[in-house]
Amino acid sequence: MATKSMRAPISTTNALTLNQLLTHQNIPNPADFYFDQSYLYLDSSLETLTPTLFSDNDLQPENNDSVNNGWELVLLSSTTISQLVDICQFAGIKLVKLNRINHRLGVSSYRFALQATDINAARKLANQYALEQSLELALIEQAPSLATPGLLVMDMDSTTIEIECIDEIAKLAGVGEEVAEVTERAMQGELDFAASLKQRVATLSGSSESILSEVASQLPLMPGLRPLLDLLKSHQWRIAVASGGFTYFTDYLQKELELDATQANVLEIVDGKLTGHVLGDITDAQVKADTLGRLATEFSIPTAQTVAMGDGANDLQMLAAAELGVAYKAKPVVLQQADCAINFSGLDCLAHWLK
């Protein structure tokens, strides 16, 4: 038996954002939310802010499409109905239900169950649309739950903080342009990371240790980092940084942010000078992925509750090892392979990609 629904002409709702259409309400069970070429259909249990636009729908069309199990389209409250329709048409998605409305860190987000013939193609096209239209969205399968303890492992440079530490050190050492060029190529996946790191560190030979403290004293945290960490910690999540950068900076962040763990490379310093060498094994892509697995075991976190975030090619294996791999303002090679992305917002957007 079909649930009672209401409908409004698409033309009258196109300009409305999701938070102008629906109140923020708890949805105990998935509610009908879909559209055809003419009408937007809502379950009558949904509380709309524009009730005069809607009428009872006694001739509800059949909506027996199977739902792609576990997959959800997640959108922020500023998304308009017109944009929602465009996303679905562009990506070959058909909405079936509104699963949930979350209100976190002052923003609402909407999670839709969907049907798609080719879910991988749909995700690629949805992400393309989002980039072109400067929207945040995620097409996610079985996202980890905020309410259940989990593990977040983040890259440091250009993810946890706004800079690439080695580039800033190099500027102070007088080799900034040379090092920055190699860093960019490494992050694009054009160079072997370990070899490129050794090459960059070698240029710092003879530099004073004081340039490290100068950079560390003014590390710019990525927007949204502190609210995100506070929210996750309130739900007993563990937080770690795994970096191809240096322990000099991850140690500072661990203390500043009360992180549970860090993993990074050790710069050799003798008599207050950088020797141009890295001590021990390089923290490369594989080590970063292994760190996520090791910490999940250490903290008794199931893989289904793990998240990794990063921006460069050196993060790809870590992102693949996590249940949810998030590209943060990332290089194209990372955007193509990550489960989802945050392209325009602060790190706190991650709160909405979690269930």
Side-chain angles (χ1 to χ4, degrees):
M1 180 179 177
T3 58
K4 185 174 178 60
S5 68
M6 52 187 174
R7 72 178 186 179
I10 282 284
S11 59
T12 66
T13 61
N14 265 337
L16 296 177
T17 61
L18 286 171
N19 65 343
Q20 290 173 332
L21 176 70
L22 297 174
T23 65
H24 171 61
Q25 65 178 112
N26 180 47
I27 301 177
N29 298 298
D32 284 344
F33 187 116
Y34 54 96
F35 48 80
D36 56 25
Q37 292 183 342
S38 302
Y39 290 96
L40 170 66
Y41 299 89
L42 302 181
D43 192 292
S44 60
S45 66
L46 293 174
E47 299 171 6
T48 177
L49 291 169
T50 52
T52 57
L53 295 181
F54 287 83
S55 59
D56 289 341
N57 176 39
D58 295 328
L59 299 174
Q60 183 179 4
E62 292 295 324
N63 188 37
N64 296 321
D65 298 294
S66 61
V67 176
N68 287 78
N69 188 36
W71 285 90
E72 292 181 311
L73 175 65
V74 189
L75 297 164
L76 301 183
S77 55
S78 57
T79 307
T80 66
I81 299 303
S82 177
Q83 288 171 325
L84 178 57
V85 171
D86 287 347
I87 292 164
C88 292
Q89 292 176 343
F90 188 79
I93 294 169
K94 187 170 186 179
L95 301 187
V96 180
K97 301 280 186 181
L98 176 60
N99 284 344
R100 185 168 178 169
I101 303 174
N102 286 323
H103 189 72
R104 295 169 178 167
L105 301 176
V107 176
S108 294
S109 56
Y110 301 75
R111 309 184 75 90
F112 296 95
L114 58 97
Q115 188 272 335
T117 302
D118 185 337
I119 195 68
N120 291 320
R123 180 163 65 176
K124 181 177 179 180
L125 289 168
N127 289 340
Q128 178 184 333
Y129 179 91
L131 274 174
E132 292 173 353
Q133 300 298 319
S134 301
L135 284 176
E136 299 288 11
L137 64 77
L139 192 51
I140 308 174
E141 181 183 22
Q142 299 290 2
S145 170
L146 173 63
T148 302
L151 170 66
L152 169 63
V153 181
M154 298 178 291
D155 177 38
M156 178 176 67
D157 297 292
S158 299
T159 300
T160 305
I161 59 178
E162 293 188 277
I163 60 171
E164 293 284 336
C165 285
I166 194 167
D167 292 354
E168 300 306 311
I169 299 167
K171 288 177 186 177
L172 296 175
V175 289
E177 291 186 9
E178 176 184 347
V179 168
E181 180 182 352
V182 177
T183 299
E184 178 65 18
R185 292 184 64 196
M187 293 303 97
Q188 294 283 4
E190 299 174 5
L191 300 174
D192 175 76
F193 179 81
S196 71
L197 181 68
K198 292 176 182 178
Q199 177 185 346
R200 286 175 285 167
V201 170
T203 67
L204 306 176
S205 179
S207 299
S208 172
E209 180 184 1
S210 64
I211 64 176
L212 301 181
S213 62
E214 186 173 343
V215 173
S217 67
Q218 47 191 335
L219 291 179
L221 300 180
M222 195 64 75
L225 175 64
R226 288 192 184 275
L228 173 65
L229 298 194
D230 288 345
L231 178 65
L232 293 176
K233 289 175 181 179
S234 73
H235 291 277
Q236 289 74 56
W237 276 61
R238 301 285 193 147
I239 316 295
V241 165
S243 173
F246 308 114
T247 55
Y248 197 98
F249 306 106
T250 57
D251 288 350
Y252 172 87
L253 289 172
Q254 183 165 17
K255 181 178 180 180
E256 175 74 12
L257 301 172
E258 299 182 344
L259 303 175
D260 293 289
T262 61
Q263 171 69 43
N265 297 299
V266 181
L267 284 171
E268 184 180 49
I269 302 172
V270 176
D271 296 330
K273 301 287 186 180
L274 303 182
T275 67
H277 297 102
V278 176
L279 296 175
D281 294 334
I282 298 292
T283 297
D284 59 9
Q286 185 59 58
V287 172
K288 293 175 83 165
D290 292 345
T291 298
L292 184 141
R294 173 175 58 80
L295 292 177
T297 300
E298 179 180 333
F299 298 139
S300 300
I301 302 295
T303 301
Q305 280 294 115
T306 58
V307 179
M309 297 181 72
D311 71 301
N314 192 40
D315 299 311
L316 284 172
Q317 292 186 44
M318 180 174 72
L319 268 58
E323 180 68 23
L324 184 65
V326 184
Y328 185 75
K329 298 183 179 178
K331 309 303 181 187
V333 66
V334 182
L335 284 174
Q336 292 166 9
Q337 299 182 49
D339 295 319
C340 62
I342 299 170
N343 293 310
F344 309 103
S345 304
L347 288 170
D348 48 343
C349 183
L350 174 64
H352 294 283
W353 295 172
L354 302 176
K355 282 186 179 177

